[in-house]
Short mmCIF file of all heavy atoms in Angstrom, two decimals:
data_model
loop_
_atom_site.label_atom_id
_atom_site.label_comp_id
_atom_site.label_asym_id
_atom_site.label_seq_id
_atom_site.Cartn_x
_atom_site.Cartn_y
_atom_site.Cartn_z
N MET A 1 40.56 115.56 117.55
CA MET A 1 41.90 114.94 117.37
C MET A 1 42.91 115.74 118.29
O MET A 1 42.88 116.84 118.35
CB MET A 1 42.34 115.12 115.97
CG MET A 1 43.65 114.28 115.55
SD MET A 1 44.04 114.43 113.85
CE MET A 1 45.41 113.68 113.81
N ILE A 2 43.64 114.93 118.98
CA ILE A 2 44.74 115.55 119.78
C ILE A 2 46.07 115.88 119.08
O ILE A 2 46.46 115.15 118.11
CB ILE A 2 45.19 114.43 120.86
CG1 ILE A 2 43.89 114.21 121.78
CG2 ILE A 2 46.31 115.02 121.75
CD1 ILE A 2 44.15 113.00 122.72
N ASP A 3 46.52 117.08 119.22
CA ASP A 3 47.68 117.64 118.68
C ASP A 3 48.90 116.80 119.26
O ASP A 3 49.22 116.82 120.40
CB ASP A 3 47.89 119.06 119.05
CG ASP A 3 49.03 119.67 118.21
OD1 ASP A 3 49.93 118.92 117.65
OD2 ASP A 3 49.03 120.99 118.09
N ASP A 4 49.70 116.25 118.35
CA ASP A 4 50.86 115.43 118.81
C ASP A 4 51.88 116.19 119.56
O ASP A 4 52.64 115.82 120.42
CB ASP A 4 51.63 114.76 117.60
CG ASP A 4 50.78 113.47 117.06
OD1 ASP A 4 49.94 113.02 117.73
OD2 ASP A 4 50.97 113.22 115.89
N HIS A 5 52.00 117.45 119.20
CA HIS A 5 52.93 118.47 119.84
C HIS A 5 52.56 118.61 121.34
O HIS A 5 53.41 118.87 122.16
CB HIS A 5 53.12 119.78 119.14
CG HIS A 5 53.57 119.59 117.80
ND1 HIS A 5 54.91 119.33 117.57
CD2 HIS A 5 52.98 119.67 116.56
CE1 HIS A 5 55.14 119.22 116.30
NE2 HIS A 5 54.06 119.52 115.67
N GLU A 6 51.18 118.64 121.72
CA GLU A 6 50.84 118.84 123.04
C GLU A 6 51.31 117.63 123.91
O GLU A 6 51.82 117.78 125.05
CB GLU A 6 49.37 118.98 123.21
CG GLU A 6 48.91 120.39 122.57
CD GLU A 6 47.37 120.49 122.80
OE1 GLU A 6 46.76 119.86 123.65
OE2 GLU A 6 46.75 121.14 121.96
N GLN A 7 51.14 116.41 123.44
CA GLN A 7 51.54 115.21 124.11
C GLN A 7 53.08 115.18 124.32
O GLN A 7 53.47 114.56 125.24
CB GLN A 7 51.16 114.07 123.45
CG GLN A 7 49.58 113.81 123.48
CD GLN A 7 49.21 112.37 122.95
OE1 GLN A 7 49.78 111.93 122.12
NE2 GLN A 7 48.04 112.03 123.31
N ASP A 8 53.88 115.75 123.36
CA ASP A 8 55.38 115.68 123.63
C ASP A 8 55.84 116.48 124.87
O ASP A 8 56.82 116.09 125.45
CB ASP A 8 56.05 116.31 122.47
CG ASP A 8 55.83 115.36 121.14
OD1 ASP A 8 55.56 114.15 121.39
OD2 ASP A 8 56.10 115.77 120.03
N ASP A 9 55.08 117.41 125.28
CA ASP A 9 55.43 118.25 126.42
C ASP A 9 55.02 117.57 127.76
O ASP A 9 55.65 117.88 128.73
CB ASP A 9 54.74 119.68 126.30
CG ASP A 9 55.18 120.45 125.24
OD1 ASP A 9 56.25 120.09 124.55
OD2 ASP A 9 54.44 121.41 124.67
N ALA A 10 54.11 116.65 127.77
CA ALA A 10 53.74 116.12 129.02
C ALA A 10 54.54 114.82 129.34
O ALA A 10 54.76 114.02 128.47
CB ALA A 10 52.22 115.66 128.89
N PRO A 11 54.92 114.73 130.56
CA PRO A 11 55.71 113.46 130.99
C PRO A 11 54.84 112.25 130.73
O PRO A 11 53.59 112.28 130.84
CB PRO A 11 55.96 113.61 132.46
CG PRO A 11 55.88 115.18 132.59
CD PRO A 11 54.93 115.66 131.62
N ALA A 12 55.41 111.11 130.42
CA ALA A 12 54.67 109.92 130.17
C ALA A 12 53.99 109.28 131.39
O ALA A 12 53.06 108.63 131.27
CB ALA A 12 55.62 108.89 129.46
N VAL A 13 54.54 109.52 132.53
CA VAL A 13 54.09 108.95 133.76
C VAL A 13 53.37 110.05 134.56
O VAL A 13 53.90 111.12 134.68
CB VAL A 13 55.27 108.35 134.58
CG1 VAL A 13 54.77 107.78 135.97
CG2 VAL A 13 56.04 107.25 133.78
N SER A 14 52.18 109.59 135.14
CA SER A 14 51.47 110.58 136.07
C SER A 14 52.45 111.14 137.13
O SER A 14 53.34 110.49 137.58
CB SER A 14 50.23 109.99 136.61
OG SER A 14 50.54 109.13 137.65
N PHE A 15 52.19 112.33 137.68
CA PHE A 15 52.95 112.82 138.72
C PHE A 15 52.90 111.98 139.97
O PHE A 15 53.92 111.64 140.63
CB PHE A 15 52.46 114.27 139.15
CG PHE A 15 53.27 114.79 140.28
CD1 PHE A 15 54.59 115.30 140.09
CD2 PHE A 15 52.71 114.80 141.45
CE1 PHE A 15 55.24 115.79 141.18
CE2 PHE A 15 53.41 115.39 142.65
CZ PHE A 15 54.59 115.81 142.51
N GLY A 16 51.63 111.51 140.41
CA GLY A 16 51.44 110.69 141.39
C GLY A 16 52.29 109.23 141.41
O GLY A 16 52.93 108.98 142.32
N ALA A 17 52.16 108.65 140.28
CA ALA A 17 53.02 107.45 140.07
C ALA A 17 54.43 107.67 140.23
O ALA A 17 55.29 107.01 140.75
CB ALA A 17 52.56 106.82 138.68
N TRP A 18 54.90 108.89 139.64
CA TRP A 18 56.27 109.25 139.65
C TRP A 18 56.77 109.42 140.94
O TRP A 18 57.87 108.96 141.38
CB TRP A 18 56.53 110.42 138.61
CG TRP A 18 58.08 110.78 138.88
CD1 TRP A 18 59.10 110.27 138.03
CD2 TRP A 18 58.49 111.83 139.65
NE1 TRP A 18 60.19 110.91 138.45
CE2 TRP A 18 59.97 111.89 139.44
CE3 TRP A 18 58.02 112.69 140.69
CZ2 TRP A 18 60.72 112.73 140.15
CZ3 TRP A 18 58.84 113.45 141.37
CH2 TRP A 18 60.11 113.64 141.14
N LEU A 19 56.01 110.14 141.70
CA LEU A 19 56.45 110.57 143.10
C LEU A 19 56.63 109.34 144.06
O LEU A 19 57.54 109.24 144.71
CB LEU A 19 55.30 111.52 143.68
CG LEU A 19 55.68 111.86 145.19
CD1 LEU A 19 56.94 112.71 145.05
CD2 LEU A 19 54.51 112.74 145.82
N LEU A 20 55.83 108.30 143.77
CA LEU A 20 55.97 107.09 144.48
C LEU A 20 57.19 106.33 144.24
O LEU A 20 57.63 105.55 145.05
CB LEU A 20 54.66 106.19 144.36
CG LEU A 20 53.40 106.62 144.75
CD1 LEU A 20 52.18 105.70 144.30
CD2 LEU A 20 53.41 106.85 146.31
N THR A 21 57.82 106.58 143.15
CA THR A 21 59.07 106.08 142.91
C THR A 21 60.31 106.71 143.42
O THR A 21 61.42 106.27 143.31
CB THR A 21 59.43 105.94 141.34
OG1 THR A 21 59.67 107.44 140.81
CG2 THR A 21 58.30 105.33 140.58
N GLN A 22 59.98 107.91 144.05
CA GLN A 22 61.06 108.80 144.72
C GLN A 22 61.26 108.41 146.19
O GLN A 22 61.84 109.28 146.92
CB GLN A 22 60.74 110.17 144.51
CG GLN A 22 60.59 110.52 142.99
CD GLN A 22 61.81 110.29 142.23
OE1 GLN A 22 62.84 110.72 142.63
NE2 GLN A 22 61.71 109.42 141.22
N ARG A 23 60.84 107.29 146.80
CA ARG A 23 60.83 107.01 148.12
C ARG A 23 62.32 106.96 148.58
O ARG A 23 62.65 107.34 149.83
CB ARG A 23 60.16 105.69 148.43
CG ARG A 23 58.67 105.90 148.29
CD ARG A 23 57.91 104.60 148.53
NE ARG A 23 57.96 104.38 149.99
CZ ARG A 23 57.39 103.47 150.59
NH1 ARG A 23 56.99 102.34 149.90
NH2 ARG A 23 57.45 103.31 151.95
N ASP A 24 63.30 106.68 147.74
CA ASP A 24 64.64 106.60 148.14
C ASP A 24 65.34 107.82 147.80
O ASP A 24 66.67 107.90 147.94
CB ASP A 24 65.28 105.33 147.68
CG ASP A 24 64.76 104.02 148.12
OD1 ASP A 24 64.27 103.92 149.29
OD2 ASP A 24 64.61 103.10 147.35
N ALA A 25 64.85 108.87 147.37
CA ALA A 25 65.45 110.08 146.93
C ALA A 25 66.08 110.83 148.06
O ALA A 25 66.94 111.63 147.75
CB ALA A 25 64.43 110.96 146.22
N GLY A 26 65.70 110.70 149.22
CA GLY A 26 66.19 111.38 150.36
C GLY A 26 65.73 112.78 150.31
O GLY A 26 64.91 113.35 149.48
N GLY A 27 65.96 113.51 151.32
CA GLY A 27 65.46 114.99 151.61
C GLY A 27 64.00 114.98 151.59
O GLY A 27 63.23 114.08 151.89
N PHE A 28 63.42 116.15 151.42
CA PHE A 28 62.06 116.47 151.53
C PHE A 28 61.17 115.73 150.43
O PHE A 28 60.12 115.23 150.77
CB PHE A 28 61.65 117.92 151.40
CG PHE A 28 62.20 118.80 152.61
CD1 PHE A 28 62.81 119.98 152.48
CD2 PHE A 28 61.98 118.31 153.84
CE1 PHE A 28 63.25 120.81 153.48
CE2 PHE A 28 62.47 118.98 154.92
CZ PHE A 28 63.03 120.29 154.72
N VAL A 29 61.76 115.51 149.19
CA VAL A 29 61.07 114.83 148.13
C VAL A 29 60.88 113.35 148.61
O VAL A 29 59.88 112.82 148.37
CB VAL A 29 61.75 114.92 146.83
CG1 VAL A 29 61.12 114.09 145.82
CG2 VAL A 29 61.75 116.43 146.32
N GLY A 30 61.88 112.75 149.10
CA GLY A 30 61.81 111.42 149.58
C GLY A 30 60.83 111.26 150.65
O GLY A 30 59.99 110.27 150.79
N GLN A 31 60.79 112.20 151.72
CA GLN A 31 59.87 112.28 152.75
C GLN A 31 58.39 112.27 152.21
O GLN A 31 57.60 111.66 152.75
CB GLN A 31 60.18 113.24 153.72
CG GLN A 31 61.50 113.13 154.57
CD GLN A 31 61.85 114.22 155.42
OE1 GLN A 31 61.09 115.23 155.58
NE2 GLN A 31 63.00 114.16 155.99
N LEU A 32 58.27 113.31 151.44
CA LEU A 32 56.97 113.43 150.76
C LEU A 32 56.50 112.05 150.08
O LEU A 32 55.38 111.66 150.13
CB LEU A 32 56.86 114.56 149.75
CG LEU A 32 55.54 114.82 149.08
CD1 LEU A 32 54.52 115.26 150.06
CD2 LEU A 32 55.77 116.03 147.95
N ALA A 33 57.35 111.38 149.27
CA ALA A 33 57.17 110.16 148.60
C ALA A 33 56.69 109.18 149.61
O ALA A 33 55.73 108.29 149.34
CB ALA A 33 58.24 109.76 147.73
N ASN A 34 57.43 109.00 150.74
CA ASN A 34 57.07 108.07 151.66
C ASN A 34 55.79 108.30 152.31
O ASN A 34 54.87 107.39 152.61
CB ASN A 34 58.17 108.02 152.86
CG ASN A 34 59.41 107.40 152.38
OD1 ASN A 34 59.42 106.41 151.70
ND2 ASN A 34 60.59 107.87 152.91
N ALA A 35 55.41 109.61 152.63
CA ALA A 35 54.04 109.91 153.11
C ALA A 35 52.93 109.46 152.23
O ALA A 35 51.94 109.03 152.57
CB ALA A 35 53.98 111.35 153.51
N ALA A 36 53.14 109.88 150.93
CA ALA A 36 52.22 109.47 149.88
C ALA A 36 51.96 107.95 149.80
O ALA A 36 50.94 107.57 149.71
CB ALA A 36 52.71 110.05 148.56
N ALA A 37 53.06 107.22 149.92
CA ALA A 37 53.01 105.80 149.69
C ALA A 37 52.22 105.08 150.92
O ALA A 37 51.62 104.13 150.61
CB ALA A 37 54.41 105.15 149.67
N ILE A 38 52.20 105.63 152.04
CA ILE A 38 51.46 105.06 153.17
C ILE A 38 50.12 105.57 153.27
O ILE A 38 49.23 105.02 154.01
CB ILE A 38 52.24 105.31 154.48
CG1 ILE A 38 52.34 106.62 154.94
CG2 ILE A 38 53.56 104.57 154.34
CD1 ILE A 38 52.97 106.87 156.23
N ASP A 39 49.71 106.61 152.54
CA ASP A 39 48.41 107.31 152.58
C ASP A 39 47.50 106.76 151.38
O ASP A 39 47.67 107.19 150.29
CB ASP A 39 48.38 108.72 152.59
CG ASP A 39 47.15 109.43 152.73
OD1 ASP A 39 46.06 108.74 152.77
OD2 ASP A 39 47.20 110.63 153.12
N ARG A 40 46.52 105.92 151.72
CA ARG A 40 45.59 105.35 150.71
C ARG A 40 44.82 106.55 149.81
O ARG A 40 44.38 106.28 148.84
CB ARG A 40 44.66 104.36 151.27
CG ARG A 40 45.41 103.12 151.57
CD ARG A 40 44.26 102.16 152.20
NE ARG A 40 44.92 101.03 152.76
CZ ARG A 40 44.38 99.83 152.90
NH1 ARG A 40 43.11 99.71 152.63
NH2 ARG A 40 45.11 98.94 153.28
N ALA A 41 44.73 107.64 150.54
CA ALA A 41 44.06 108.76 149.79
C ALA A 41 44.87 109.57 148.88
O ALA A 41 44.34 110.34 148.00
CB ALA A 41 43.52 109.75 150.91
N PHE A 42 46.26 109.28 148.89
CA PHE A 42 47.18 109.96 147.90
C PHE A 42 46.65 109.60 146.37
O PHE A 42 46.41 108.45 146.11
CB PHE A 42 48.48 109.55 148.04
CG PHE A 42 49.45 110.20 147.10
CD1 PHE A 42 49.73 111.50 147.11
CD2 PHE A 42 49.96 109.47 146.00
CE1 PHE A 42 50.58 112.10 146.18
CE2 PHE A 42 50.82 110.08 145.08
CZ PHE A 42 51.07 111.43 145.14
N PRO A 43 46.56 110.63 145.56
CA PRO A 43 46.22 110.42 144.21
C PRO A 43 47.24 109.81 143.31
O PRO A 43 47.95 110.51 142.55
CB PRO A 43 45.83 111.72 143.70
CG PRO A 43 46.59 112.77 144.46
CD PRO A 43 46.69 112.04 145.87
N ARG A 44 47.39 108.51 143.40
CA ARG A 44 48.44 107.81 142.73
C ARG A 44 48.64 107.93 141.17
O ARG A 44 49.54 107.99 140.58
CB ARG A 44 48.44 106.17 142.96
CG ARG A 44 48.88 106.01 144.39
CD ARG A 44 48.39 104.58 144.84
NE ARG A 44 49.09 104.26 146.11
CZ ARG A 44 48.87 104.84 147.43
NH1 ARG A 44 48.07 105.93 147.47
NH2 ARG A 44 49.57 104.42 148.44
N SER A 45 47.40 108.25 140.55
CA SER A 45 47.34 108.38 139.09
C SER A 45 47.03 109.92 138.75
O SER A 45 46.82 110.17 137.63
CB SER A 45 46.35 107.40 138.43
OG SER A 45 45.04 107.75 138.80
N GLY A 46 47.16 110.73 139.83
CA GLY A 46 46.78 112.22 139.60
C GLY A 46 47.96 113.00 139.12
O GLY A 46 49.07 112.65 139.08
N ASP A 47 47.58 114.30 138.83
CA ASP A 47 48.51 115.20 138.57
C ASP A 47 48.94 116.05 139.62
O ASP A 47 48.73 115.81 140.77
CB ASP A 47 47.98 116.21 137.27
CG ASP A 47 46.64 116.76 137.79
OD1 ASP A 47 46.36 116.83 138.85
OD2 ASP A 47 46.06 117.47 136.93
N VAL A 48 49.84 117.07 139.38
CA VAL A 48 50.31 117.88 140.43
C VAL A 48 49.17 118.56 141.21
O VAL A 48 49.30 118.66 142.42
CB VAL A 48 51.31 118.94 139.94
CG1 VAL A 48 51.96 119.77 141.11
CG2 VAL A 48 52.52 118.07 139.22
N ASP A 49 48.20 119.01 140.53
CA ASP A 49 47.06 119.71 141.12
C ASP A 49 46.42 118.78 142.16
O ASP A 49 45.89 119.20 143.22
CB ASP A 49 46.09 120.34 140.11
CG ASP A 49 46.54 121.50 139.46
OD1 ASP A 49 47.45 122.26 140.11
OD2 ASP A 49 46.22 121.79 138.36
N ALA A 50 46.18 117.54 141.82
CA ALA A 50 45.58 116.49 142.65
C ALA A 50 46.49 116.33 143.96
O ALA A 50 45.97 116.26 145.01
CB ALA A 50 45.43 115.24 141.99
N ALA A 51 47.80 116.40 143.75
CA ALA A 51 48.82 116.24 144.81
C ALA A 51 48.52 117.51 145.82
O ALA A 51 48.72 117.35 147.04
CB ALA A 51 50.11 116.02 144.33
N ARG A 52 48.42 118.62 145.30
CA ARG A 52 48.25 119.89 145.99
C ARG A 52 47.04 119.79 146.84
O ARG A 52 47.03 120.16 147.96
CB ARG A 52 48.16 121.10 145.04
CG ARG A 52 49.45 121.55 144.53
CD ARG A 52 49.34 122.90 143.72
NE ARG A 52 50.62 123.21 143.16
CZ ARG A 52 50.82 123.01 141.91
NH1 ARG A 52 49.99 122.67 140.93
NH2 ARG A 52 52.05 123.41 141.43
N LYS A 53 45.95 119.35 146.28
CA LYS A 53 44.68 119.08 147.00
C LYS A 53 44.85 118.12 148.16
O LYS A 53 44.32 118.28 149.23
CB LYS A 53 43.52 118.68 146.00
CG LYS A 53 43.20 119.68 145.09
CD LYS A 53 42.15 119.36 144.12
CE LYS A 53 41.71 120.43 143.23
NZ LYS A 53 40.86 119.98 142.05
N TRP A 54 45.65 117.14 147.91
CA TRP A 54 45.90 115.94 148.87
C TRP A 54 46.73 116.74 150.11
O TRP A 54 46.47 116.53 151.22
CB TRP A 54 46.77 114.97 148.30
CG TRP A 54 47.25 113.88 149.28
CD1 TRP A 54 46.53 112.95 149.89
CD2 TRP A 54 48.66 113.85 149.68
NE1 TRP A 54 47.47 112.17 150.73
CE2 TRP A 54 48.61 112.79 150.59
CE3 TRP A 54 49.78 114.41 149.36
CZ2 TRP A 54 49.92 112.25 151.15
CZ3 TRP A 54 51.03 113.94 149.90
CH2 TRP A 54 51.02 112.88 150.78
N LEU A 55 47.75 117.50 149.71
CA LEU A 55 48.51 118.22 150.85
C LEU A 55 47.56 119.18 151.56
O LEU A 55 47.64 119.31 152.75
CB LEU A 55 49.57 119.05 150.06
CG LEU A 55 50.85 118.22 149.81
CD1 LEU A 55 51.89 119.32 149.10
CD2 LEU A 55 51.39 117.46 150.95
N GLN A 56 46.68 119.91 150.88
CA GLN A 56 45.84 120.95 151.52
C GLN A 56 44.91 120.07 152.44
O GLN A 56 44.74 120.48 153.61
CB GLN A 56 45.04 121.70 150.46
CG GLN A 56 44.22 122.79 151.12
CD GLN A 56 43.65 123.59 149.95
OE1 GLN A 56 43.36 123.10 148.87
NE2 GLN A 56 43.49 124.88 150.26
N ALA A 57 44.34 118.93 151.98
CA ALA A 57 43.34 118.31 152.77
C ALA A 57 44.04 117.65 154.07
O ALA A 57 43.54 117.56 155.16
CB ALA A 57 42.79 117.11 152.02
N ASN A 58 45.51 117.45 154.04
CA ASN A 58 46.25 116.99 155.12
C ASN A 58 46.84 118.06 155.95
O ASN A 58 47.78 117.70 156.74
CB ASN A 58 47.32 115.92 154.59
CG ASN A 58 46.70 114.63 154.16
OD1 ASN A 58 46.17 113.89 155.25
ND2 ASN A 58 46.59 114.35 152.96
N ARG A 59 46.48 119.32 155.64
CA ARG A 59 47.04 120.56 156.36
C ARG A 59 48.59 120.48 156.44
O ARG A 59 49.22 120.35 157.55
CB ARG A 59 46.57 120.54 157.71
CG ARG A 59 44.92 120.71 157.67
CD ARG A 59 44.48 120.66 159.05
NE ARG A 59 42.98 120.43 159.01
CZ ARG A 59 42.11 121.41 159.10
NH1 ARG A 59 42.52 122.70 159.25
NH2 ARG A 59 40.73 121.21 158.97
N ALA A 60 49.19 120.29 155.25
CA ALA A 60 50.74 120.09 155.14
C ALA A 60 51.58 121.27 155.69
O ALA A 60 50.88 122.50 155.60
CB ALA A 60 51.06 119.86 153.69
N SER A 61 52.63 120.99 155.94
CA SER A 61 53.66 122.01 156.56
C SER A 61 54.27 122.81 155.38
O SER A 61 54.19 122.26 154.25
CB SER A 61 54.64 121.45 157.38
OG SER A 61 55.57 120.81 156.56
N GLY A 62 54.97 123.72 155.62
CA GLY A 62 55.72 124.56 154.61
C GLY A 62 56.66 123.70 153.88
O GLY A 62 56.96 123.72 152.75
N ASP A 63 57.42 122.74 154.66
CA ASP A 63 58.37 121.88 154.08
C ASP A 63 57.71 120.96 153.07
O ASP A 63 58.37 120.64 151.94
CB ASP A 63 59.06 120.93 155.09
CG ASP A 63 59.96 121.81 155.99
OD1 ASP A 63 60.37 122.87 155.54
OD2 ASP A 63 60.35 121.30 157.01
N ASP A 64 56.50 120.49 153.26
CA ASP A 64 55.80 119.58 152.42
C ASP A 64 55.47 120.35 151.02
O ASP A 64 55.66 119.76 149.93
CB ASP A 64 54.47 119.15 152.98
CG ASP A 64 54.64 118.25 154.17
OD1 ASP A 64 55.75 117.46 154.13
OD2 ASP A 64 53.93 118.28 155.05
N TRP A 65 55.17 121.66 151.17
CA TRP A 65 54.77 122.33 149.92
C TRP A 65 56.07 122.58 149.18
O TRP A 65 56.06 122.57 147.91
CB TRP A 65 54.11 123.74 150.35
CG TRP A 65 52.77 123.53 150.84
CD1 TRP A 65 52.43 123.61 152.20
CD2 TRP A 65 51.62 123.26 150.02
NE1 TRP A 65 51.00 123.29 152.13
CE2 TRP A 65 50.43 123.13 150.95
CE3 TRP A 65 51.33 123.02 148.81
CZ2 TRP A 65 49.19 122.68 150.60
CZ3 TRP A 65 50.12 122.71 148.29
CH2 TRP A 65 49.03 122.58 149.21
N GLU A 66 57.20 122.94 149.81
CA GLU A 66 58.47 123.15 149.21
C GLU A 66 58.89 121.79 148.48
O GLU A 66 59.34 121.79 147.42
CB GLU A 66 59.52 123.40 150.15
CG GLU A 66 60.93 123.81 149.53
CD GLU A 66 61.92 124.36 150.39
OE1 GLU A 66 61.42 124.90 151.48
OE2 GLU A 66 63.01 124.17 150.24
N ALA A 67 58.71 120.75 149.21
CA ALA A 67 58.94 119.38 148.47
C ALA A 67 58.22 119.15 147.26
O ALA A 67 58.67 118.56 146.28
CB ALA A 67 58.75 118.26 149.57
N LEU A 68 56.87 119.53 147.29
CA LEU A 68 56.03 119.27 146.14
C LEU A 68 56.51 120.22 145.04
O LEU A 68 56.66 119.70 143.82
CB LEU A 68 54.64 119.65 146.44
CG LEU A 68 53.55 119.46 145.37
CD1 LEU A 68 53.53 118.05 144.94
CD2 LEU A 68 52.30 119.97 145.71
N GLU A 69 56.94 121.31 145.24
CA GLU A 69 57.49 122.24 144.20
C GLU A 69 58.81 121.54 143.61
O GLU A 69 59.04 121.56 142.43
CB GLU A 69 57.85 123.63 144.69
CG GLU A 69 56.47 124.45 144.95
CD GLU A 69 56.97 125.77 145.55
OE1 GLU A 69 57.95 126.32 145.27
OE2 GLU A 69 55.90 126.34 146.19
N ASP A 70 59.69 121.09 144.43
CA ASP A 70 60.92 120.45 144.02
C ASP A 70 60.52 119.15 143.19
O ASP A 70 61.27 118.86 142.16
CB ASP A 70 61.82 120.12 145.21
CG ASP A 70 62.39 121.24 146.04
OD1 ASP A 70 62.27 122.51 145.36
OD2 ASP A 70 62.92 121.13 147.03
N ALA A 71 59.65 118.34 143.65
CA ALA A 71 59.25 117.19 143.00
C ALA A 71 58.70 117.49 141.58
O ALA A 71 59.07 116.86 140.65
CB ALA A 71 58.26 116.33 143.86
N GLU A 72 57.87 118.55 141.57
CA GLU A 72 57.30 118.85 140.25
C GLU A 72 58.28 119.30 139.25
O GLU A 72 58.32 118.83 138.11
CB GLU A 72 56.24 120.02 140.37
CG GLU A 72 55.63 120.40 139.09
CD GLU A 72 54.69 121.59 139.22
OE1 GLU A 72 54.65 122.25 140.34
OE2 GLU A 72 53.89 121.87 138.26
N THR A 73 59.30 120.05 139.70
CA THR A 73 60.51 120.41 138.90
C THR A 73 61.23 119.20 138.29
O THR A 73 61.51 119.12 137.21
CB THR A 73 61.31 121.36 139.62
OG1 THR A 73 60.67 122.58 140.02
CG2 THR A 73 62.62 121.94 138.72
N LYS A 74 61.57 118.24 139.22
CA LYS A 74 62.24 117.07 138.85
C LYS A 74 61.33 116.33 137.88
O LYS A 74 61.82 115.74 136.99
CB LYS A 74 62.59 116.29 140.04
CG LYS A 74 63.63 116.94 140.97
CD LYS A 74 63.96 116.09 142.09
CE LYS A 74 65.04 116.78 142.97
NZ LYS A 74 65.39 115.94 144.26
N TRP A 75 60.13 116.11 138.15
CA TRP A 75 59.16 115.39 137.23
C TRP A 75 59.07 115.95 135.89
O TRP A 75 59.13 115.17 134.89
CB TRP A 75 57.86 115.33 138.02
CG TRP A 75 56.67 114.58 137.27
CD1 TRP A 75 56.74 113.33 136.81
CD2 TRP A 75 55.55 115.23 136.55
NE1 TRP A 75 55.49 113.01 136.00
CE2 TRP A 75 54.77 114.23 135.84
CE3 TRP A 75 55.15 116.65 136.64
CZ2 TRP A 75 53.62 114.45 135.32
CZ3 TRP A 75 53.91 116.79 136.14
CH2 TRP A 75 53.26 115.68 135.42
N MET A 76 59.13 117.17 135.82
CA MET A 76 59.02 117.82 134.54
C MET A 76 60.20 117.74 133.72
O MET A 76 60.33 117.84 132.54
CB MET A 76 58.55 119.38 134.58
CG MET A 76 57.16 119.52 135.19
SD MET A 76 55.87 118.89 134.10
CE MET A 76 55.94 119.85 132.66
N GLY A 77 61.37 117.68 134.47
CA GLY A 77 62.86 117.75 134.15
C GLY A 77 63.11 117.26 132.84
O GLY A 77 63.88 117.42 132.11
#
C-alpha cells in the first residue's frame, strides 16, 4: 500500500511533461524546453534523473545544467 503522505510531496505532472510547457518561459529554462521539445529522445514522461541522463547523452553545456537545476526548482515549487 502506498503512503498518502509520500504522494503529497510529489508534483502531479512528470518533470519531462512540465518542462515541455516551459517553452515560452524565456531564459535558459525556455531554451532547454525548446531543445527538449524538438528532440524525440527527450524523456517526456521522465523524472529529473531521466532529464539529466538526456543532457549527459547530448554532452550538454554548463548553461544547460544550470537550466536543469533552475527548472527542477520551479517544478518542485
Side-chain angles (χ1 to χ4, degrees):
M1 182 172 180
I2 297 174
D3 185 347
D4 290 336
H5 295 290
E6 287 180 30
Q7 286 187 339
D8 291 341
D9 294 341
V13 177
S14 73
F15 177 77
W18 175 86
L19 182 61
L20 294 175
T21 69
Q22 301 302 302
R23 294 180 72 184
D24 295 326
F28 290 137
V29 173
Q31 290 174 8
L32 180 63
N34 285 326
I38 62 173
D39 188 342
R40 291 182 181 200
F42 178 73
R44 285 162 168 70
S45 61
D47 60 9
V48 177
D49 286 334
R52 284 188 184 101
K53 290 176 184 175
W54 172 75
L55 282 180
Q56 190 173 29
N58 286 294
R59 301 176 194 262
S61 71
D63 289 343
D64 294 326
W65 290 102
E66 185 177 332
L68 183 64
E69 289 179 24
D70 292 347
E72 180 180 13
T73 299
K74 290 179 182 179
W75 175 65
M76 294 297 294

